Amino acid sequence: MIVLFASGSGGHIEPALLLKERLQKMGASVELILGNHYPKVSGGKVLNIPRRKIMALLYFPFLCMYVMRYFFIKKPRIIIGFGGFQSLLVLLIFRSLGCKVAIYEHNLIIGRANAFLLPFVHVIFLIWEETASRWSPRYYKKVIFVRPLVSGPENLKEKLHQDRKFTIVIFGGSQGARFLNDLFIQFLQDFKHYGDIRMDLIAGIKFYPSVIKRLSAISVGVEYNIQDFCNDMGQYYTSGDFFITRAGAQTILELISYCRPALLIPYPYAQAHQLGNAIHLLRKKCCLVVRQDKAKRETVIKVISAVIRNRDTLVRMSENLKDLRQKLFNNPGMEEIIVSRFL
């Protein structure tokens, strides 16, 4: 049996959900364990590991007992972790029991938890060649480059939509982002004279009520749609022309998968991960980037206005994203390697 462990935000959990689905289609016995509740998942095993590190360490003895009991009953062949501090704790316990351990890292710059685990794991699944470029050579033999764990369109649209309103999609990852929600409300007022624009927002479950309350108190002249959480981002990637979002690894890879141009505003407290992801795409001319401390209302409005006036820029970004997609998605599927090696 194969065990997948993921916790934290959708950037960690969504790849695990997709891998589980693909492994099951290949006939593999697989179980997903979550460190915390996730809106898209009902039922299943949720350990409710505290998010705060001090509390998680206090919880560690109970976690050890659960993992030991689970290991001796299920006898898994391998456990695969998807990053985050909770994953670090769980994978170390499984490793001490003699279980094979693998990690999946889809950021350009490896996370601290996965970096700590490098000496202990048997397999390291990577997306980007640049991720391992500064590592010690002793880890290279563990590395396998795989296709990103993202869903994508069956057929890529060659051109942006020309027969409907220009659609701007704003979202801050699975949990939403107050900063981007504030920008959305400002945009609805500032762009009311652009009749051919539509704006969509995924506000996040936590922020949704306050956004709705604020919208009820202002005059809006732009067509818009707002959701608290989205179970199927494909609908937005298919219909959207331009995206304003964070630069988490899963978001970056989904934009590449659908070849959708974006303005990336990296979350400033995500260590160096999001900024590294954003700068990499910027260097390949696949996106625009504004740091949050520089993302003043006037600055972002100028960027969007320029994009609306010159949509050829977006077409060029989409073509560059298509080249990058071709490179990344030529790697073998992670599910194929797991089944051939561990089953």
Side-chain angles (χ1 to χ4, degrees):
M1 187 185 73
I2 301 164
V3 176
L4 311 178
F5 180 84
S7 65
S9 66
H12 297 288
I13 296 176
E14 288 289 343
L17 290 172
L18 192 56
L19 180 59
K20 178 187 176 184
E21 178 185 332
R22 292 178 178 178
L23 286 170
Q24 287 176 332
K25 286 182 178 179
M26 298 181 72
S29 174
V30 55
E31 284 195 0
L32 172 64
I33 302 176
L34 297 180
N36 55 270
H37 173 70
Y38 187 62
K40 196 172 179 178
V41 180
S42 58
K45 294 178 174 61
V46 181
L47 301 185
N48 292 315
I49 301 173
R51 295 287 188 93
R52 296 179 62 185
K53 293 180 181 178
I54 295 177
M55 297 303 295
L57 291 173
L58 293 175
Y59 183 79
F60 188 69
F62 302 98
L63 185 61
C64 286
M65 289 187 288
Y66 175 87
V67 171
M68 290 175 66
R69 181 174 180 273
Y70 182 90
F71 178 78
F72 289 117
I73 292 174
K74 299 289 187 177
K75 296 180 173 57
R77 295 198 176 198
I78 186 172
I79 180 169
I80 304 169
F82 291 81
F85 180 69
Q86 293 93 339
S87 178
L88 168 64
L89 299 178
V90 172
L91 267 61
L92 284 177
I93 300 172
F94 271 95
R95 181 68 175 84
S96 69
L97 295 170
C99 185
K100 288 189 179 297
V101 176
I103 54 175
Y104 173 77
E105 179 59 65
H106 53 342
N107 283 292
L108 261 296
I109 301 172
I110 189 170
R112 287 186 295 187
N114 276 349
F116 184 89
L117 285 167
L118 288 179
F120 307 102
V121 301
H122 299 86
V123 180
I124 306 166
F125 293 108
L126 295 180
I127 306 300
W128 306 93
E129 293 179 0
E130 294 84 352
T131 304
S133 61
R134 297 181 181 179
W135 293 359
S136 168
R138 63 186 171 134
Y139 297 132
Y140 292 169
K141 62 183 180 180
K142 300 181 180 182
V143 172
I144 301 176
F145 291 102
V146 294
R147 282 197 302 269
L149 284 171
V150 295
S151 57
E154 294 183 2
N155 297 299
L156 289 173
K157 294 181 175 63
E158 293 298 326
K159 296 182 179 179
L160 300 176
H161 294 276
Q162 303 293 335
D163 57 348
R164 57 161 177 75
K165 290 187 175 182
F166 184 82
T167 301
I168 300 173
V169 181
I170 302 175
F171 66 98
S174 61
Q175 300 180 48
R178 181 184 287 112
F179 181 83
L180 296 184
N181 293 344
D182 292 343
L183 284 180
F184 173 80
I185 293 173
Q186 294 170 3
F187 294 161
L188 289 181
Q189 300 173 80
D190 292 326
F191 288 98
K192 59 186 177 181
H193 300 301
Y194 287 84
D196 63 341
I197 288 181
R198 170 189 169 92
M199 305 195 77
D200 293 339
L201 172 70
I202 305 171
I205 295 173
K206 176 182 177 181
F207 303 115
Y208 180 78
S210 63
V211 172
I212 292 296
K213 183 177 180 180
R214 291 173 64 186
L215 286 174
S216 65
I218 64 174
S219 174
V220 177
V222 177
E223 181 183 347
Y224 72 92
N225 174 62
I226 179 171
Q227 274 189 266
D228 56 352
F229 182 83
C230 181
N231 283 317
D232 179 19
M233 282 299 298
Q235 61 180 304
Y236 285 99
Y237 287 122
T238 301
S239 62
D241 296 301
F242 186 64
F243 292 76
I244 302 174
T245 183
R246 295 301 194 185
Q250 194 68 4
T251 296
I252 290 290
L253 293 171
E254 287 172 349
L255 289 168
I256 294 171
S257 178
Y258 283 86
C259 299
R260 286 299 183 250
L263 168 63
L264 301 178
I265 306 177
Y267 183 57
Y269 308 107
Q271 301 170 36
H273 302 323
Q274 293 205 10
L275 184 59
N277 294 336
I279 289 175
H280 186 73
L281 258 66
L282 178 65
R283 287 172 176 168
K284 293 183 176 297
K285 300 181 180 179
C286 293
C287 69
L288 304 172
V289 177
V290 177
R291 297 180 62 147
Q292 182 164 310
D293 58 347
K294 305 291 185 182
K296 307 301 182 185
R297 175 177 177 174
E298 297 78 11
T299 303
V300 181
I301 287 175
K302 285 181 181 179
V303 172
I304 298 176
S305 298
V307 165
I308 293 172
R309 290 194 301 269
N310 184 14
R311 300 183 190 180
D312 288 343
T313 301
L314 302 186
V315 174
R316 288 193 293 272
M317 285 185 194
S318 295
E319 292 300 320
N320 294 335
L321 284 163
K322 191 180 298 182
D323 293 339
L324 185 56
R325 182 185 191 274
Q326 181 70 25
K327 178 181 178 181
L328 294 182
F329 284 77
N330 270 341
N331 289 325
M334 188 169 166
E335 64 279 2
E336 300 163 5
I337 294 170
I338 293 170
V339 169
S340 63
R341 284 201 178 196
F342 300 103
L343 294 184

